[in-house]
Amino acid sequence: MKNKILLLSFILLALYSCIETQNFDQYDDLEIIPTVEASILYVESPERIINESVGQYFYSQDFNFDAFTFDAFADRVLDGSIFFEIDNTTSKEFKPTVEFLDEDGNTIDTIDFPVQPSAPTPLYRRQVPYGPGKQRSIEIIKNTSSIKVSVLIEDNSSVSNLPDPKIIFRSSGKFRVRLK
């Protein structure tokens, strides 16, 4: 009988020691902030296209980009950066400009890039941060509806000795987004 009481006491003590009060308020304290990364633009122009133009070569194109204004992103984005890469294997210096436009087509941010001709030139990279305490306001990103890329090249006499010379402009974004 003594063994049965001892065994019963041991079982009850074991069950009691494994029970913990549940805290269902933990969800309220939870923060989910992943970093989201995606490509934004890719523009490429071969040297022969540049040389076919008369006088100055000027390229300008608006790209619809509503991803930033999508509510699931715009309401939750905290901060981030846009990364630009420019590869110039032509023999010409060129001046690209990127403009972020709002829904009405108004320019809300402009970024200019000084790109030298190839010699060959290393890949030009630039990071532009957005958010509190950063170089630019995150409101620019939240209100961007389209992106305008403009390129000015002084003349059409590019004669690079590299194989398949071209200008490649690409960009990507990396942003922290609060999911909860």
Side-chain angles (χ1 to χ4, degrees):
M1 183 73 161
K2 203 177 200 184
N3 287 341
K4 286 182 182 181
I5 293 175
L6 187 59
L7 181 63
L8 182 61
S9 297
F10 182 70
I11 290 173
L12 288 175
L13 184 62
L15 287 175
Y16 180 74
S17 68
C18 295
I19 296 174
E20 183 178 319
T21 58
Q22 298 297 311
N23 179 0
F24 293 104
D25 294 330
Q26 290 176 343
Y27 179 77
D28 295 334
D29 299 334
L30 184 64
E31 283 192 6
I32 303 172
I33 305 174
T35 299
V36 182
E37 189 170 1
S39 179
I40 297 174
L41 287 177
Y42 181 92
V43 180
E44 182 177 308
S45 181
E47 183 179 63
R48 67 174 174 71
I49 299 293
I50 295 167
N51 286 337
E52 289 174 0
S53 66
V54 177
Q56 286 186 337
Y57 174 78
F58 183 77
Y59 168 85
S60 182
Q61 178 72 46
D62 286 9
F63 299 92
N64 183 25
F65 197 79
D66 289 326
F68 288 156
T69 59
F70 184 61
D71 289 343
F73 179 84
D75 294 344
R76 300 171 187 269
V77 65
L78 300 174
D79 58 20
S81 293
I82 296 183
F83 300 88
F84 297 95
E85 289 185 353
I86 302 172
D87 195 4
N88 180 14
T89 56
T90 71
S91 65
K92 299 304 299 178
E93 177 180 357
F94 72 106
K95 298 173 182 130
T97 300
V98 173
E99 296 176 68
F100 293 89
L101 309 173
D102 66 13
E103 193 174 271
D104 297 325
N106 301 312
T107 301
I108 54 178
D109 195 16
T110 302
I111 304 168
D112 293 310
F113 303 90
V115 179
Q116 301 300 315
S118 71
T121 311
L123 185 66
Y124 177 86
R125 290 188 171 134
R126 181 169 176 187
Q127 176 182 354
V128 181
Y130 292 87
K134 307 284 183 175
Q135 188 177 22
R136 290 180 160 93
S137 170
I138 195 66
E139 294 303 314
I140 293 169
I141 296 301
K142 291 179 178 184
N143 293 303
T144 296
S145 179
S146 61
I147 300 171
K148 181 177 187 174
V149 177
S150 304
V151 178
L152 173 66
I153 298 177
E154 296 297 329
D155 61 43
N156 61 350
S157 62
S158 183
V159 288
S160 175
N161 59 2
L162 297 173
D164 192 28
K166 62 180 88 171
I167 296 169
I168 300 173
F169 179 90
R170 55 187 156 257
S171 64
S172 64
K174 189 174 186 179
F175 295 94
R176 289 184 331 123
V177 179
R178 181 185 308 278
L179 297 181
K180 156 107 184 50

